[in-house]
Amino acid sequence: MNVKFLPCRSLKLTFLCILMAAAIAVPAQERSSASAAKNSILTAPEAAKILPPSVFFRGQSADIQARNSAGVKFSDGMLVLCTLVDTSGYSTGVQQKYQGFFMTEVPLDLGGHLLPPGAYGVGFQPGNHFVVMDIGAHDLLTAGSAHDAVLKRPTPLQILADTAPDHYRLYFGRNYVVLSRGAGR
């Protein structure tokens, strides 16, 4: 018994239509899931995987304190990272202002001031001030900070969600400054 199979145009056409529909649906699904993605706060282990082991500031390298680091990953993958640093090799004047290393890939609204993408030295100062310095230890901006007396489990450095959507609190102990993604996204 010799059976011949003839090409069935309608079957081929149906298969081709299914392939085309799938090719169109997959990118649309990827776009919708990407837009549905949320910003996320990075824990110390997550941030430490991205941060370098040491950073340059005011003429020398300082080791980071990986256990005291945090960050924010925005829905488009852009990052904000902060870590405390070992400032033992710095002068007393630098140590008083420089407590952490701060990096951002996006412009930020930091306590009402626009901070462009870059790498900075940061620190909390008496009188509710958060100072941002360039890597040469020159003051760039001073933002108002706050003290959170009711914070449960303060740690040396952490980032927590603020009460406003897509706003975050960068804490050094109980002191914090509010940050959010700035204009120029």
Side-chain angles (χ1 to χ4, degrees):
M1 181 183 222
N2 193 0
V3 177
K4 287 188 175 181
F5 290 97
L6 298 174
C8 178
R9 287 187 177 197
S10 64
L11 184 59
K12 285 183 180 179
L13 185 58
T14 302
F15 184 69
L16 182 61
C17 288
I18 291 170
L19 282 177
M20 288 178 60
I24 293 169
V26 169
Q29 184 180 16
E30 287 174 2
R31 279 192 307 272
S32 73
S33 66
S35 65
K38 300 284 184 190
N39 300 339
S40 60
I41 295 173
L42 300 176
T43 63
E46 292 168 331
K49 287 180 186 177
I50 303 166
L51 287 162
S54 63
V55 294
F56 178 83
F57 184 80
R58 187 54 194 103
Q60 60 189 36
S61 291
D63 291 335
I64 69 162
Q65 296 178 17
R67 69 187 177 283
N68 294 313
S69 59
V72 175
K73 184 175 184 179
F74 293 102
S75 60
D76 61 359
M78 301 301 266
L79 297 168
V80 172
L81 298 168
C82 190
T83 184
L84 293 183
V85 294
D86 177 9
T87 60
S88 60
Y90 288 95
S91 70
T92 306
V94 172
Q95 286 180 4
Q96 290 173 348
K97 289 173 60 176
Y98 176 52
Q99 297 141 13
F101 192 75
F102 188 86
M103 295 184 293
T104 177
E105 294 182 322
V106 297
L108 291 178
D109 180 321
L110 189 66
H113 299 274
L114 185 63
L115 182 67
Y120 305 96
V122 295
F124 283 91
Q125 303 299 299
N128 294 329
H129 300 291
F130 181 74
V131 178
V132 178
M133 300 162 280
D134 65 17
I135 60 170
H138 305 104
D139 291 0
L140 296 177
L141 67 89
T142 301
S145 64
H147 184 78
D148 189 344
V150 297
L151 176 66
K152 294 179 182 178
R153 297 187 184 111
T155 62
L157 184 143
Q158 64 183 322
I159 294 178
L160 300 174
D162 187 52
T163 55
D166 297 323
H167 286 66
Y168 304 92
R169 292 181 179 187
L170 170 61
Y171 280 92
F172 282 30
R174 292 189 178 277
N175 297 322
Y176 71 91
V177 63
V178 176
L179 63 93
S180 64
R181 193 160 181 173
R185 298 177 189 208

